[in-house]
Amino acid sequence: MEWEPVIGLEIHVQLLTKSKIFSGASTAYGAEPNTQACALDLGMPGTLPVLNERAVRLAVRFGLAVEAEIARRSVFARKNYFYPDLPKGYQISQYELPVVGKGHLMIHLDGREKRIGITRAHLEEDAGKSLHEDFQGLTGIDLNRAGTPLLEIVSEPDLRSPQEAVAYMKKLHQLVVWLGISDGNMQEGSFRCDANVSVRPKGAAKFGTRTEIKNVNSFRFVERAIAYEIERQIEVLESGGTIVQETRLYDADKDETRPMRTKEEANDYRYFPDPDLLPLVISDDFIDEVRRELPELPEQRYHRFIDQYGLKPCDAEVLTATRGISDYYEQVVRESGVDPKLAANWVMVELSGALNKAGLDIVASPVSADRLAGLLKRVADNTISGKIAKQVFELMWETGKDADTLIDEKGLKQITDTGAIEKIIDEVIAANPKQVEQYRAGKDKLFGFFVGQVMKATGGKANPKQVNELLRKKLQEG
């Protein structure tokens, strides 16, 4: 039997606020345990939550970016469960009336586009964190995270492979960072994924029983965890077993999922509206104000780059991977005036290669966009060759100097004088009579040898196009 996976993702995005969603405690990462949890975060009696307006603004910004319905009235509810890192015994979340309703996101995979539905996105507070290291046989509790604002984004079960799930997760990560609503730092827990996975006979309408893989915080592990779970479920079903609805944990060391707890249903959480919080009412004016703050979205810019600059879709995708790269590329094109494809190649190959090697983000690039534009101008006006340009780029990276200064200092201007190039070609031909004879006898591959000799004699500064044309002519004359 052929099986079809059905996958939906629930992604927890930590919102970029300075204080928590219902208290004034800091959300800064890395503080000593329990130094950023106030009386409200600890669930002390007599304290009352006050909603952080910025968290609402960021949630609405996301909703507008995915063309979702923004609820004019939404409600916070208490989600009741008992964990050591949840002092109140409940989590303030949203249930039936979330702030963001149905929307969608486009993913690109293997040259095709697919629309993935977003069921909802709701605001909630994070819990604390259990600590096991440094506590022999005991568990420590750090409540610094308690009350940190999260936006939980729930997808429709539209994903049909681990690869599609990762493509969707990456697209969502790109979007929330692009919008400035989250730093997306997965190592610090700012972007975490729960994956709901089931399988069904291919073509069947009814979904199979799903399991939930909790808190996976890397793209690679999500793909591996889902792939493992799909295979596990197929093996169970084909051996006559049944799938148990449960929450599972992914063990990256063993590359397997294993049971964590029986999956709770919504009624197990005994949701009810939080009596300490008024319904959240959002006006049209507020939504319009947030809409005006929206930047050009990555999907829009991706298509514009293809249309405006004639880029291949794969190149446009690389150049819109982050807002920083995208802005950098546009500045290079605008200030250099060179062929956008030439600028794209330099950003994707030379610049990205140097950044990766140095472990730097583009905002920390030693070669700024205007400096790279200056370099490409000199390639376009034939002051230097493309090969010399790479040498100049390395010097720019090391010294911080601009291209014109380095070209003058190092004497790197390209030789374009026809007479001077011809003179060197004559010398090369005279110095290599045996190779000339072989070439004229039909050994065409030797042409590259002569080009190399001429370039070597000029220190790589001769115009390659002129060298090729003049050299071919000289060799044919014989």
Side-chain angles (χ1 to χ4, degrees):
M1 179 184 293
E2 189 174 357
W3 297 91
E4 178 182 57
V6 177
I7 305 160
L9 299 186
E10 299 174 12
I11 294 181
H12 290 82
V13 176
Q14 181 176 329
L15 296 173
L16 209 52
T17 61
K18 291 181 180 177
S19 59
K20 296 183 178 178
I21 188 169
F22 299 117
S23 81
S26 172
T27 58
Y29 179 81
E32 287 295 313
N34 298 311
T35 59
Q36 293 181 171
C38 68
L40 185 129
D41 303 322
L42 298 174
M44 301 299 284
T47 57
L48 290 173
V50 177
L51 179 59
N52 185 330
E53 185 266 352
R54 180 166 171 77
V56 177
R57 182 176 291 272
L58 298 181
V60 172
R61 187 181 298 177
F62 171 78
L64 293 173
V66 296
E67 300 181 38
E69 305 159 7
I70 306 298
R72 290 338 190 239
R73 181 181 182 277
S74 62
V75 171
F76 286 97
R78 290 186 178 182
K79 182 181 181 181
N80 295 275
Y81 57 102
F82 297 96
Y83 287 160
D85 52 12
L86 193 65
K88 296 194 295 288
Y90 62 84
Q91 176 189 28
I92 302 178
S93 182
Q94 293 188 309
Y95 179 47
E96 293 178 318
L97 298 171
V99 64
V100 176
K102 287 186 179 298
H104 69 273
L105 200 64
M106 301 299 296
I107 64 171
H108 306 269
L109 187 66
D110 300 329
R112 61 186 173 86
E113 280 189 338
K114 184 173 179 179
R115 177 185 169 119
I116 306 300
I118 290 174
T119 311
R120 55 188 274 151
H122 59 261
L123 285 163
E124 64 182 23
E125 61 178 348
D126 205 353
K129 183 180 178 182
S130 297
L131 305 174
H132 303 292
E133 295 179 1
D134 303 326
F135 294 91
Q136 295 179 353
L138 301 172
T139 298
I141 301 295
D142 177 10
L143 293 173
N144 280 354
R145 287 197 68 87
T148 297
L150 301 178
L151 187 67
E152 181 175 340
I153 303 165
V154 182
S155 83
E156 294 286 312
D158 291 341
L159 302 159
R160 293 291 176 270
S161 70
Q163 293 73 31
E164 283 190 2
V166 172
Y168 167 78
M169 190 176 168
K170 286 183 174 178
K171 195 75 177 180
L172 201 57
H173 184 269
Q174 174 202 36
L175 181 62
V176 299
V177 176
W178 187 291
L179 291 170
I181 69 172
S182 174
D183 63 18
N185 190 318
M186 299 173 81
Q187 286 71 38
E188 296 178 2
S190 298
F191 193 88
R192 319 190 296 263
C193 175
D194 300 343
N196 289 294
V197 181
S198 66
V199 297
R200 63 182 175 185
K202 192 170 180 63
K206 187 179 177 183
F207 292 161
T209 301
R210 74 178 189 278
T211 58
E212 182 182 38
I213 309 168
K214 289 293 283 185
N215 279 336
V216 190
N217 64 350
S218 96
F219 299 122
R220 183 163 60 98
F221 289 164
V222 164
E223 183 170 357
R224 287 168 54 178
I226 293 173
Y228 176 88
E229 186 59 17
I230 290 169
E231 290 302 315
R232 186 192 71 84
Q233 291 189 17
I234 290 173
E235 283 184 18
V236 170
L237 293 170
E238 290 189 340
S239 62
T242 56
I243 301 300
V244 177
Q245 182 171 328
E246 61 187 357
T247 298
R248 299 178 69 87
L249 182 70
Y250 176 64
D251 185 329
D253 293 332
K254 296 181 178 177
D255 191 24
E256 65 178 25
T257 66
R258 59 173 181 264
M260 186 175 170
R261 61 176 183 265
T262 302
K263 173 67 179 171
E264 298 90 346
E265 297 290 351
N267 55 13
D268 292 328
Y269 291 119
R270 294 173 291 110
Y271 281 98
F272 64 87
D274 192 307
D276 291 337
L277 284 161
L278 291 170
L280 171 61
V281 176
I282 299 176
S283 69
D284 289 344
D285 288 344
F286 181 85
I287 294 173
D288 289 342
E289 184 182 319
V290 176
R291 195 189 304 278
R292 287 194 293 273
E293 295 171 353
L294 280 181
E296 181 182 29
L297 300 175
E299 187 70 10
Q300 295 168 340
R301 192 168 287 191
Y302 163 81
H303 287 290
R304 183 169 64 77
F305 276 12
I306 293 172
D307 295 340
Q308 183 175 344
Y309 299 133
L311 299 181
K312 295 177 183 175
C314 57
D315 292 343
E317 192 154 353
V318 171
L319 292 169
T320 55
T322 71
R323 196 169 164 185
I325 290 174
S326 183
D327 289 344
Y328 186 104
Y329 168 69
E330 284 231 275
Q331 187 178 347
V332 172
V333 173
R334 187 171 58 249
E335 296 191 12
S336 68
V338 303
D339 181 349
K341 293 178 186 175
L342 173 67
N345 287 337
W346 271 85
V347 173
M348 291 191 298
V349 179
E350 299 302 328
L351 179 74
S352 295
L355 289 171
N356 289 337
K357 188 177 178 182
L360 294 175
D361 188 85
I362 196 158
V363 296
S365 172
V367 178
S368 61
D370 63 323
R371 290 283 172 94
L372 182 58
L375 174 63
L376 297 189
K377 279 182 186 175
R378 296 298 162 254
V379 176
D381 66 13
N382 285 325
T383 300
I384 55 173
S385 66
K387 186 175 180 181
I388 292 292
K390 293 179 182 179
Q391 184 181 334
V392 175
F393 177 81
E394 289 178 5
L395 291 169
M396 291 168 66
W397 185 276
E398 292 167 3
T399 65
K401 295 180 179 178
D402 63 77
D404 286 341
T405 300
L406 288 165
I407 291 168
D408 287 341
E409 281 183 0
K410 304 292 181 183
L412 296 173
K413 280 187 180 175
Q414 190 165 231
I415 300 171
T416 56
D417 180 274
T418 301
I421 296 174
E422 279 186 323
K423 183 172 180 294
I424 295 167
I425 289 174
D426 289 340
E427 292 170 359
V428 168
I429 288 175
N432 297 280
K434 185 178 176 183
Q435 287 83 356
V436 172
E437 184 181 345
Q438 290 174 331
Y439 176 80
R440 288 173 177 163
K443 198 170 181 180
D444 296 340
K445 290 182 179 177
L446 278 172
F447 187 75
F449 164 77
F450 291 111
V451 172
Q453 292 299 306
V454 175
M455 297 307 289
K456 183 179 178 183
T458 60
K461 293 187 285 184
N463 181 297
K465 186 180 177 185
Q466 286 177 280
V467 169
N468 274 269
E469 291 173 354
L470 294 170
L471 183 60
R472 200 174 297 280
K473 185 179 173 185
K474 289 272 185 185
L475 288 169
Q476 287 172 350
E477 282 175 354

